[in-house]
Amino acid sequence: MKGEDSIAGLGATIWNALSLNGNFYEKTPYTRRTKRIALTIVILAALSRVLGSAVILLINRTELSVLFLGLWIEGLAVAGGYYFWTFTIFKIGQWLKPGHVTYRELLVPIGFAYAPQVLNFLTLIPLLGEGIERILAVWSLLAVIVAVRQGLDIKTRWAVVICFVGWPLIQIAIGFVEVFEQLLSRWL
């Protein structure tokens, strides 16, 4: 992954993931390069979430220590959610199709499916932030469903069931992080 090739690869990957291109998920090989691109997308998603939260916390004149703690938790929540969701999908996929795909192989398509979260910084738009956050969450869910359907080679309804196991838990965790940040900013 060097220079312009990596940027073009990242841009094309994000575009294909955002467009829910099923062929893209099915035909993308598991290589070091695709693994790096998937991880880069997850890191960009975490940074985007942190950026949006940082602006909101700064507007609310949050104390610096609370700001950094809150942003650290936000970034870890996105990354942790990625690994947790992938793990739940892997475990259920193993039950449906034992030995079909490894946990590491699932990290790539699910990392690609985090592409809508790269736009999470848009949540800082006044009055629209919460709606944008929900749209991005559902868009990511749809992308993960496509990735799981193609990655596990299963029917769409099974992919939906598999993805819905971890998704609500991740949404609850994100809500918890937001409430925790608000409580911290009021207490300190």
Side-chain angles (χ1 to χ4, degrees):
M1 215 164 93
K2 294 182 181 169
E4 294 174 18
D5 183 40
S6 64
I7 294 170
L10 179 62
T13 300
I14 290 173
W15 176 254
N16 279 305
L18 288 173
S19 65
L20 305 178
N21 182 348
N23 288 331
F24 164 73
Y25 286 103
E26 190 170 344
K27 306 241 189 277
T28 301
Y30 176 76
T31 63
R32 265 206 249 153
R33 182 173 185 266
T34 57
K35 201 165 78 171
R36 270 189 246 135
I37 291 173
L39 188 57
T40 300
I41 290 171
V42 173
I43 290 169
L44 288 174
L47 290 174
S48 182
R49 178 138 187 113
V50 166
L51 176 65
S53 295
V55 171
I56 291 168
L57 290 172
L58 286 171
I59 288 171
N60 290 323
R61 298 177 188 252
T62 303
E63 189 176 307
L64 205 54
S65 61
V66 173
L67 174 75
F68 286 123
L69 179 62
L71 297 180
W72 179 252
I73 291 170
E74 286 274 353
L76 287 178
V78 172
Y82 161 66
Y83 287 106
F84 173 75
W85 201 7
T86 303
F87 184 74
T88 59
I89 289 167
F90 167 71
K91 282 304 198 185
I92 296 169
Q94 284 295 90
W95 179 68
L96 286 175
K97 283 190 153 187
H100 184 70
V101 67
T102 67
Y103 175 72
R104 285 185 177 184
E105 289 171 334
L106 272 178
L107 287 171
V108 171
I110 294 174
F112 292 166
Y114 264 62
Q117 296 301 313
V118 170
L119 303 172
N120 218 317
F121 66 91
L122 295 172
T123 60
L124 62 87
I125 298 173
L127 303 175
L128 299 176
E130 195 172 312
I132 290 171
E133 185 175 0
R134 288 186 180 142
I135 289 168
L136 292 175
V138 171
W139 195 354
S140 291
L141 172 64
L142 294 174
V144 172
I145 290 169
V146 171
V148 168
R149 181 189 70 205
Q150 300 305 112
L152 293 177
D153 193 28
I154 58 176
K155 295 184 185 278
T156 303
R157 70 175 172 261
W158 284 112
V160 169
V161 169
I162 289 171
C163 293
F164 265 112
V165 170
W167 189 70
L169 297 174
I170 291 168
Q171 297 310 306
I172 290 169
I174 289 170
F176 176 75
V177 167
E178 289 172 355
V179 169
F180 182 70
E181 281 179 346
Q182 290 174 1
L183 290 174
L184 269 179
S185 65
R186 288 183 186 150
W187 287 343
L188 301 175

